[in-house]
Amino acid sequence: GKQRPAIQPPMPSKYSFANSELYPDGDETIEAGDRFPLSIFFPMSDSTPARHMFFYRKLTVGRMIDQIRDKYMPVYSTNDRMYAFVVRANGFCPLSHVDRLCEIGPDVLRQGDVVVLEVSPSLSPTWFAKLANRQAIASVN
């Protein structure tokens, strides 16, 4: 008979989001116009599920990492430096710790982008494969 298409196995649960894009986590006192929403993925070694979050748009990337770490990743000591990468269908880009979210520019970082935190300064290709399978990442025209 005809071959059935292979059923895609579900992705590991760590790539499902802990919350909905409509209800992102963040400081509710931040005015709507000052919010910078992002989809945050935690390090591969960490079992924390990805979260939709928003941050004060004038935060630096370093402060954003600190806020995420304080709230969701207490197991990491503050001396473990963490790195943030924006991931899109055509590649990824490390974010500088000193840049403010609102000043990075839409060619690199846009509202709603997928940002991966990692403990190493380069991103493993495994990440890219996992995210691409999920189609969590938008392609850039």
Side-chain angles (χ1 to χ4, degrees):
K2 262 179 36 181
Q3 275 223 305
R4 271 203 167 127
I7 305 288
Q8 283 288 310
M11 289 299 289
S13 59
K14 83 194 278 193
Y15 295 101
S16 55
F17 282 89
N19 61 340
S20 119
E21 217 164 345
L22 296 173
Y23 300 102
D25 291 343
D27 176 353
E28 295 297 334
T29 64
I30 300 169
E31 298 279 332
D34 280 335
R35 294 178 181 190
F36 202 105
L38 293 168
S39 298
I40 302 295
F41 283 73
F42 293 85
M44 206 63 84
S45 56
D46 194 271
S47 56
T48 310
R51 298 193 91 88
H52 297 289
M53 300 181 73
F54 65 84
F55 305 92
Y56 181 52
R57 64 187 189 84
K58 291 186 178 159
L59 273 191
T60 62
V61 170
R63 276 300 298 138
M64 175 190 81
I65 293 172
D66 290 344
Q67 285 188 4
I68 297 168
R69 178 147 64 179
D70 291 348
K71 191 160 180 191
Y72 296 110
M73 308 173 67
V75 294
Y76 287 86
S77 82
T78 39
N79 346 335
D80 293 333
R81 192 148 165 75
M82 283 208 159
Y83 300 88
F85 303 86
V86 59
V87 182
R88 295 234 186 92
N90 58 351
F92 62 84
C93 178
L95 296 173
S96 159
H97 287 83
V98 296
D99 286 348
R100 293 178 190 277
L101 297 176
C102 62
E103 291 168 4
I104 292 172
D107 49 330
V108 175
L109 184 69
R110 296 179 199 169
Q111 298 200 355
D113 269 343
V114 165
V115 171
V116 169
L117 299 188
E118 258 312 344
V119 285
S120 65
S122 60
L123 202 56
S124 132
T126 326
W127 258 119
F128 204 66
K130 299 236 190 247
L131 287 168
N133 289 346
R134 278 276 301 180
Q135 292 180 316
I137 45 185
S139 20
V140 181
N141 305 330

